[in-house]
Amino acid sequence: MNPKISVITISYNNKEGLEKTLKSVTSQDYKDFEYIVIDGGSNDGSKEILEKYSDKINYWVSEPDKGIYNAMNKGIEVANGEYLLFINSGDELFSSGILTEVVPELNGADIIAGNLCTIGENTTYIAKNPEALQFRSVYQWTIQHPCTFIKKEGFSKVGLYDENLKIVSDWKWFLMGLGKFGLSYKKTEKTIANFYLDGISSNPENHKLLNEERRKTLKEEFPLFITDYDALITYEEEIKILSKIKKSRWYQLGKKLGLMKNIDL
């Protein structure tokens, strides 16, 4: 019988992060899952780490690829699990017992999303996927990828990740799956993984490309909503600016002195 879960890790020249992820996944109490690692031909010693853990990995390869989503697609193509979970190099499963806890909830829905422990340099918080999805919430934000179990057969319906996109191909896949192919969605309250804010989509320098790729996708696939998307982006920027103003020393001083009685930001 095929396993219930295939955990897929992609990595490139991240030796320390890769070993952290390998330890997290291979130390799970639940053992009836398949583990797949796709390395992009790293030259930093990652291959030696994979060889060290090879008896605990069902399938691994270290060879050049065409980027993040090409590596993910390689993992999808060899996976045998009913549900796929992507825990990329440097991230971790939330606890050694989390797969045991969540397996009973993996039934029925095409997409089953949990919560994500998000860890930055100075902050840690739990990012929660919504109980029920609206189209707006998916195209404005996204479903948190590292804490979401996706039925493999969903990739047969929607297709693999778009390798022409550098940052938002998983966002596009969820948008297409839910908005065009009618995939079903379910929420679990389990916190599935630790996600560290040091990846490509978390880098502020990549936010421009992220928005460009999202806008391109909407223009091609959902042109009716492109005006809504532009309005939401503008609204988010305005909220950020207002938030900075409200926290400023001059604004707070003006409020204390009664100089802003008729101004409420």
Side-chain angles (χ1 to χ4, degrees):
M1 293 180 64
N2 290 343
K4 190 72 172 180
I5 304 169
S6 292
V7 178
I8 300 172
T9 293
I10 67 166
S11 183
Y12 180 66
N13 280 344
N14 185 19
K15 176 182 174 181
E16 292 182 2
L18 175 61
E19 184 158 26
K20 178 171 71 172
T21 304
L22 291 172
K23 286 180 179 178
S24 165
V25 176
T26 60
S27 65
Q28 288 295 300
D29 298 339
Y30 183 81
K31 300 300 181 184
D32 187 21
F33 71 95
E34 175 184 58
Y35 192 26
I36 295 165
V37 182
I38 309 295
D39 179 72
S42 298
N43 55 18
D44 67 341
S46 292
K47 186 174 180 180
E48 287 71 23
I49 295 296
L50 289 169
E51 290 170 344
K52 174 182 172 182
Y53 286 83
S54 61
D55 62 327
K56 299 180 180 179
I57 303 172
N58 298 87
Y59 175 93
W60 69 271
V61 65
S62 181
E63 63 185 16
D65 56 45
K66 298 175 184 177
I68 292 171
Y69 295 110
N70 178 241
M72 288 185 175
N73 286 340
K74 285 184 178 182
I76 294 166
E77 288 172 340
V78 300
N80 297 300
E82 181 182 356
Y83 284 93
L84 311 186
L85 175 67
F86 294 89
I87 303 294
N88 292 334
S89 174
D91 297 327
E92 304 162 302
L93 287 168
F94 187 66
S95 69
S96 61
I98 187 56
L99 293 185
T100 298
E101 292 177 29
V102 78
V103 161
E105 299 187 44
L106 299 183
N107 55 74
D110 298 305
I111 298 169
I112 300 177
N115 299 326
L116 190 65
C117 182
T118 305
I119 302 169
E121 187 175 348
N122 299 307
T123 183
T124 298
Y125 60 92
I126 300 297
K128 294 190 174 185
N129 282 305
E131 290 291 335
L133 291 178
Q134 297 178 333
F135 188 72
R136 169 180 168 173
S137 65
V138 180
Y139 81 76
Q140 185 180 5
W141 295 289
T142 189
I143 298 172
Q144 306 288 340
H145 201 202
C147 59
T148 300
F149 296 84
I150 305 170
K151 264 192 177 178
K152 184 178 179 181
E153 66 182 34
F155 290 98
S156 298
K157 297 176 183 177
V158 182
L160 298 175
Y161 292 120
D162 184 347
E163 295 178 16
N164 293 313
L165 298 173
K166 302 298 182 185
I167 298 180
V168 303
S169 192
D170 51 322
W171 170 85
K172 177 183 178 180
W173 193 91
F174 286 128
L175 192 68
M176 296 290 290
L178 294 160
K180 283 198 169 184
F181 290 88
L183 298 186
S184 56
Y185 170 86
K186 185 174 79 170
K187 175 68 166 59
T188 172
E189 282 304 319
K190 299 286 190 304
T191 299
I192 306 300
N194 294 327
F195 174 73
Y196 292 85
L197 292 172
D198 54 6
I200 183 171
S201 62
S202 302
N203 187 336
E205 294 179 2
N206 293 319
H207 286 179
K208 181 180 178 181
L209 177 59
L210 183 149
N211 287 329
E212 287 176 354
E213 289 190 346
R214 286 190 172 195
R215 195 176 193 283
K216 179 178 181 289
T217 297
L218 288 170
K219 189 174 182 180
E220 292 174 351
E221 304 291 347
F222 300 94
L224 181 64
F225 298 102
I226 193 67
T227 301
D228 294 322
Y229 180 75
D230 288 341
L232 284 167
I233 293 298
T234 302
Y235 176 73
E236 286 181 354
E237 292 302 318
E238 290 174 350
I239 292 297
K240 288 178 183 177
I241 292 169
L242 288 175
S243 177
K244 288 181 179 178
I245 292 173
K246 290 178 75 171
K247 292 177 181 177
S248 71
R249 183 165 59 91
W250 296 112
Y251 179 82
Q252 296 297 329
L253 180 60
K255 292 288 284 186
K256 287 181 179 179
L257 296 175
L259 301 177
M260 296 184 175
K261 292 180 179 178
N262 297 318
I263 301 176
D264 186 8
L265 299 180

